[in-house]
Amino acid sequence: MAWHTCGPSQVMVVSGLCRSPPRMIAGGRVFVLPCVQRIQRISLHILTLNVKSEKVYTRQGVPISVTGIAQVKIQGQNKEMLAAACQMFLGKSENEIAHISLETLEGHQRAIMAHMTVEEIYQDRQKFSEQVFKVASSDLVNMGISVVSYTLKDIRDDQEYLHSLGKARTAQVQKDARMGEAEAKRDAGIKGARAMQEKVSAQYINETEVAKAQRDFELKQASYDIEVNTRKAESDLAFQLQVAKTKQKIEEQKMQVQVVERTKQIQLQEQEIARKEKELQARVMKPAEAERFRLEKLAEAERLKMIMQAEAEAESVKVKGEAKAFAIEAKAIADAEQMAKKGEAFQQYKDVAMLDMLLEKLPLMADAISKPLTQVKKVKMVSSGNGEVGAAKLTGEVLEILNQLPDTVEKLTGISINQCSQMKPGRMA
């Protein structure tokens, strides 16, 4: 008696006494009776097969050679497949099993090549591999062998058919590449030109907007400056006028205070005179002296009263005069400052202002020159025979006088009307 064991990559088959059908043990141990029982082993290792099909004519009649790589093994998990494998391959070596599987795969590979074109095999290797795997698996399963994987490794031909296909495809690819490169360069040039045009347009638009903004800013600034200067001038004049009015009111108040003070002094003096009169009356011992004294004091009091009234009136007149003089002086100062502002304006726009004044006075001067003619009732004219005669002569003389007016004005004022009339409109604005 003996115990036998095997690893997971082997199957032990025990046949003989009491073993019908034979017992198959994969990766385990079994008790074998010598001489009456027999033990055999079969490998479950994966077998790598290099499936070559040399010069097989395809459906187009083009001979090609194909090499595929297949992985096969005896299926040890399925009892039916394992029994079939034991029936067919028990006692055979791995090389013999691999050879049988290779022949089967090669036959199916050649059959599938004959039903396909070179282009189909070359362009769709996955489809070719799936067909070989499917067809070969259906036959090898009956032998207890399963195809683990199949991959198309290489395709060759001696007629350079594949090379010609590659050349045509390469030429087409190169052609497409050149066309694509040319189109890309063309599109890039067009886009670059458009981008440059948009950049220039945007730059011009930006510069225009900046110029407009600068112009609006300068116009507004000039307008604000004019308004500020005008307001400032008005404020200065109003302040000076208000100061003058305030001073005038203060002087008037002072005058009224002085008048009140003088009035109070007069009243006090009158009260003092009355007191003295009473005192005099009380203290006079003799009637005559008292009467004389009283009369003298009354006369003196009357004189003092008149003097005080005269002084008060004089002081009132003086204060009123001073107030009136101060008001006149303040008004004169305001008028002088106004004239100074006007003088500055005339100094700033000297030529234009003088031209405006001269143009306003020219019609008056022309009227003054021609007005005496309206008073003439009778004109006697003597002609030497040369030139115009009659009313035309008289009118020409008047026009000649008027034509001399610009020269006369220039000699008197130093300003040329002709030069001022040629000034730019912007300067006169």
Side-chain angles (χ1 to χ4, degrees):
M1 296 188 299
W3 288 94
H4 296 270
T5 61
C6 67
S9 61
Q10 282 186 337
V11 174
M12 296 182 298
V13 180
V14 180
S15 59
L17 181 65
C18 299
R19 298 298 182 185
S20 181
R23 182 183 177 186
M24 296 174 291
I25 299 95
R29 68 176 182 171
V30 65
F31 181 77
V32 178
L33 296 174
C35 300
V36 294
Q37 292 181 338
R38 183 181 179 185
I39 184 170
Q40 293 176 299
R41 299 174 186 269
I42 187 170
S43 176
L44 299 179
H45 289 136
I46 291 179
L47 304 176
T48 301
L49 306 179
N50 192 10
V51 185
K52 294 183 178 180
S53 299
E54 300 289 341
K55 296 181 180 180
V56 178
Y57 287 92
T58 62
R59 190 173 64 186
Q60 296 172 330
V62 178
I64 62 173
S65 299
V66 172
T67 301
I69 300 297
Q71 307 288 338
V72 299
K73 70 183 292 293
I74 294 174
Q75 184 58 258
Q77 302 298 327
N78 191 314
K79 293 183 177 181
E80 294 181 357
M81 292 181 63
L82 182 58
C86 291
Q87 184 179 0
M88 293 184 179
F89 303 115
L90 192 60
K92 296 184 179 295
S93 64
E94 289 187 355
N95 291 333
E96 292 176 335
I97 297 172
H99 179 70
I100 295 171
S101 301
L102 178 62
E103 292 293 333
T104 303
L105 284 169
E106 185 177 355
H108 289 299
Q109 181 173 277
R110 296 174 68 91
I112 293 172
M113 290 171 60
H115 287 83
M116 296 180 69
T117 63
V118 179
E119 288 80 358
E120 290 175 347
I121 299 172
Y122 180 75
Q123 295 176 0
D124 196 354
R125 297 190 177 193
Q126 182 67 27
K127 180 181 178 181
F128 176 79
S129 299
E130 289 177 354
Q131 289 187 6
V132 174
F133 179 84
K134 182 178 179 181
V135 174
S137 296
S138 62
D139 282 351
L140 291 175
V141 165
N142 296 329
M143 301 180 187
I145 297 175
S146 64
V147 180
V148 179
S149 68
Y150 173 84
T151 304
L152 180 61
K153 181 181 179 180
D154 186 24
I155 302 175
R156 303 185 310 276
D157 73 301
D158 297 335
Q159 308 296 324
E160 296 187 354
Y161 185 84
L162 294 174
H163 183 66
S164 299
L165 289 176
K167 282 186 177 180
R169 181 57 183 166
T170 302
Q172 182 66 32
V173 170
Q174 291 177 352
K175 177 182 177 182
D176 294 340
R178 288 193 297 269
M179 291 178 63
E181 184 179 2
E183 291 176 355
K185 289 182 178 179
R186 179 199 63 193
D187 295 340
I190 293 172
K191 289 182 180 179
R194 288 179 179 173
M196 181 60 68
Q197 182 180 3
E198 292 176 357
K199 177 182 178 182
V200 173
S201 299
Q203 184 177 0
Y204 288 158
I205 293 172
N206 187 28
E207 292 177 355
T208 303
E209 293 298 328
V210 170
K212 288 182 180 179
Q214 184 68 23
R215 180 200 63 189
D216 295 340
F217 171 75
E218 292 177 355
L219 290 175
K220 289 183 179 180
Q221 187 176 14
S223 176
Y224 293 156
D225 291 342
I226 292 172
E227 185 176 357
V228 169
N229 293 331
T230 303
R231 296 288 185 183
K232 185 177 180 182
E234 292 177 355
S235 176
D236 293 340
L237 291 174
F239 175 75
Q240 293 174 2
L241 290 174
Q242 186 63 36
V243 169
K245 290 180 180 179
T246 304
K247 288 182 178 179
Q248 183 179 359
K249 290 181 179 179
I250 292 172
E251 293 299 329
E252 290 178 356
Q253 294 293 331
K254 288 181 179 179
M255 180 189 67
Q256 292 178 0
V257 171
Q258 290 177 359
V259 170
V260 172
E261 290 177 355
R262 293 291 184 184
T263 305
K264 292 293 184 180
Q265 290 178 1
I266 292 172
Q267 292 178 356
L268 290 174
Q269 289 177 357
E270 289 178 349
Q271 292 176 1
E272 182 66 20
I273 292 171
R275 187 186 65 80
K276 287 183 178 181
E277 286 179 354
K278 291 179 180 180
E279 184 180 357
L280 179 60
Q281 291 176 0
R283 297 177 64 181
V284 172
M285 299 177 64
K286 295 180 178 180
E289 292 180 359
E291 184 67 18
R292 181 179 59 81
F293 185 77
R294 186 180 66 81
L295 293 175
E296 288 179 356
K297 291 300 181 181
L298 287 175
E300 184 179 359
E302 186 68 21
R303 182 179 62 81
L304 290 175
K305 181 180 179 180
M306 293 177 65
I307 291 173
M308 293 298 291
Q309 288 179 352
E311 288 180 354
E313 291 178 357
E315 187 67 24
S316 176
V317 171
K318 180 180 178 182
V319 172
K320 290 182 178 180
E322 289 178 355
K324 186 175 182 181
F326 183 81
I328 294 171
E329 182 182 1
K331 186 175 183 299
I333 291 173
D335 293 338
E337 290 179 352
Q338 185 176 5
M339 290 299 293
K341 295 291 182 178
K342 186 180 291 185
E344 291 178 359
F346 274 106
Q347 184 65 27
Q348 185 177 359
Y349 303 100
K350 180 178 179 182
D351 296 338
V352 179
M354 293 297 291
L355 176 61
D356 186 42
M357 294 174 64
L358 289 175
L359 292 178
E360 289 180 357
K361 300 299 182 182
L362 281 179
L364 299 177
M365 297 172 66
D367 181 70
I369 293 171
S370 61
K371 188 174 182 181
L373 294 177
T374 62
Q375 306 296 329
V376 176
K377 296 181 179 180
K378 186 177 182 181
V379 178
K380 289 183 179 182
M381 302 183 66
V382 178
S383 176
S384 61
N386 296 326
E388 298 176 345
V389 296
K393 179 67 175 178
L394 181 60
T395 305
E397 293 295 336
V398 175
L399 293 175
E400 182 63 23
I401 293 173
L402 294 176
N403 287 333
Q404 294 177 1
L405 279 177
D407 297 335
T408 304
V409 171
E410 184 177 0
K411 290 179 181 179
L412 292 175
T413 63
I415 297 175
S416 176
I417 296 177
N418 294 329
Q419 293 179 358
C420 291
S421 62
Q422 295 176 358
M423 294 174 62
K424 295 181 179 179
R427 186 179 176 184
M428 298 178 66

